[in-house]
Amino acid sequence: MKKVILDCDPGHDDAMALLMAIASEKIDLLAVTTSAGNQKPEKTFANARKLLALAKKEEIPVAMGASKPLRRELIIAEEVHGETGLDGAELPEPSVAARQISANDLIADILRNSEEKVTLIATGPLTNIAIFLLSHPELKEKIEQISFMGGACFGGNYSPHAEFNIYVDPEAADIVVKSGVSVAMFGLDVTLKAQLFERDIQEIREIGNQVAVTMADLLDFFHLTTTVPFWADENHVEGIHMHDPCAVAYVIDPTLFKVYPMNVQVETGENLSLGSTVVDYDNVLGREKNVSVGFEVDLPRFRELVMDTMKYFND
Ligand SMILES: [Ca+2]
């Protein structure tokens, strides 16, 4: 079982990522920390706590992270995730008091006291991870790996060349890819291929437990804001992009993905490609291959993992 801390900004796909981490017998989820991204920090924190209430796992500690990116004002994705950050379903209120510890202190406490190395999974902007790396260099060796959703070798979804999570806090992403820690990146190249379809939502709904029905409601909302590729004709059916669960699924079972070691740098300059991950796909620069970059997902097995996640829960 891998010791894991999940840093997330729920967020519809974060919700699936969190549930996947809870349900997996390969993951011992030690804590959840929340980043500001899809919604404002108070909302992503509240959503993470509600999701743990839904999953009946409120013993897992949740801590709020930084309220804004390292050097920039916060950008949120309300048009994708709604006013609450998790529009589309009613979630239960938490039954335990909110913890007052910061994400940074909680991550540090856990790593300091862990005999085993801990894997950090990030499914929002990398602000909290960067702050941790900067403030606790002595604990870097306690990190097994950082697996994050963000970036793209090709394209973008917030600007022509930048994916949202990286665009929100490019300085943080820059710190993470330069950290010297083992880093795995799940960007749009692979996450746009990790799709669920109408029939999958139906199957999830029919599993029938409260978690599955709630997740089906969330996916119905998320489907409304799914972007359709420019080349789609009237016969094309675009599924729902399960971006964030890729970063968790890789920690559960790396054989679900094709990843390749490559040099990755982050554009932090104020220009057209601000917030893009510059992935040296053809090794043109011959620089250190600092990041394992995901490109392919075994969709039938990924889908199976989603269904197993939903079946794990019972009322
Ligand atoms: Ca997210």
Side-chain angles (χ1 to χ4, degrees):
M1 236 184 175
K2 290 180 187 165
K3 307 276 185 199
V4 167
I5 298 173
L6 174 63
D7 186 62
C8 56
D9 62 339
H12 294 73
D13 49 335
D14 299 84
M16 181 66 85
L18 173 56
L19 295 170
M20 201 178 256
I22 290 170
S24 174
E25 60 186 21
K26 299 281 176 60
I27 286 182
D28 179 8
L29 186 60
L30 302 176
V32 176
T33 55
T34 57
S35 50
N38 285 334
Q39 255 298 353
K40 291 173 183 163
E42 300 76 20
K43 290 187 181 178
T44 59
F45 178 61
N47 288 342
R49 296 180 62 233
K50 287 177 183 177
L51 287 166
L52 287 172
L54 174 71
K56 301 188 177 73
K57 291 285 179 183
E58 288 180 283
E59 67 275 17
I60 298 172
V62 186
M64 199 195 301
S67 59
K68 62 185 280 296
L70 296 182
R71 287 167 55 182
R72 297 169 189 275
E73 292 309 311
L74 179 62
I75 299 163
I76 61 171
E78 189 159 297
E79 70 289 357
V80 179
H81 297 278
E83 192 192 336
T84 63
L86 274 181
D87 278 15
E90 283 293 323
L91 292 167
E93 287 301 319
S95 63
V96 297
R99 295 185 190 236
Q100 299 305 319
I101 189 169
S102 72
N104 194 34
D105 288 347
L106 182 60
I107 297 171
D109 283 355
I110 289 172
L111 265 64
R112 197 178 290 119
N113 295 316
S114 178
E115 283 175 20
E116 289 169 52
K117 289 188 175 186
V118 177
T119 299
L120 305 181
I121 303 176
T123 60
L126 288 159
T127 317
N128 295 335
I129 308 296
I131 289 174
F132 174 72
L133 290 168
L134 291 176
S135 60
H136 294 284
E138 79 285 1
L139 292 174
K140 209 186 265 187
E141 62 183 29
K142 288 288 193 78
I143 303 173
E144 173 75 25
Q145 187 170 51
I146 298 169
S147 173
F148 74 88
M149 187 278 139
C153 179
F154 303 106
N157 65 355
Y158 193 81
S159 82
H161 275 198
E163 179 279 333
F164 177 79
N165 283 344
I166 308 300
Y167 188 89
V168 172
D169 199 342
E171 285 77 16
D174 182 53
I175 288 164
V176 169
V177 301
K178 285 178 180 165
S179 65
V181 174
S182 166
V183 174
M185 164 178 145
F186 294 84
L188 300 174
D189 314 289
V190 61
T191 67
L192 289 174
K193 296 171 185 164
Q195 299 190 2
L196 295 179
F197 297 89
E198 286 288 355
R199 61 179 180 277
D200 301 318
I201 304 181
Q202 188 57 28
E203 190 174 328
I204 288 169
R205 191 176 297 284
E206 285 166 6
I207 290 169
N209 64 54
Q210 197 195 349
V211 170
V213 171
T214 304
M215 199 64 231
D217 289 344
L218 289 172
L219 292 173
D220 275 340
F221 179 90
F222 200 38
H223 203 180
L224 300 174
T225 61
T226 296
T227 47
V228 177
F230 72 90
W231 45 261
D233 61 21
E234 67 273 17
N235 298 317
H236 176 77
V237 178
E238 184 72 7
I240 308 166
H241 306 133
M242 289 287 94
H243 302 284
D244 292 341
C246 290
V248 175
Y250 177 69
V251 173
I252 292 170
D253 183 357
T255 70
L256 289 170
F257 297 91
K258 279 190 180 150
V259 303
Y260 302 96
M262 292 177 180
N263 181 262
V264 176
Q265 300 175 85
V266 179
E267 179 58 77
T268 56
E270 301 292 335
N271 57 42
L272 282 175
S273 51
L274 170 63
S276 66
T277 46
V278 181
V279 180
D280 193 356
Y281 189 78
D282 283 326
N283 195 26
V284 188
L285 302 173
R287 288 190 176 197
E288 182 201 358
K289 294 176 178 173
N290 57 333
V291 178
S292 298
V293 184
F295 281 91
E296 297 293 335
V297 57
D298 182 336
L299 193 54
R301 287 174 60 225
F302 177 84
R303 190 188 163 285
E304 206 174 293
L305 178 58
V306 168
M307 294 305 164
D308 287 348
T309 296
M310 294 293 104
K311 288 173 193 158
Y312 165 84
F313 297 96
N314 46 53
D315 294 332

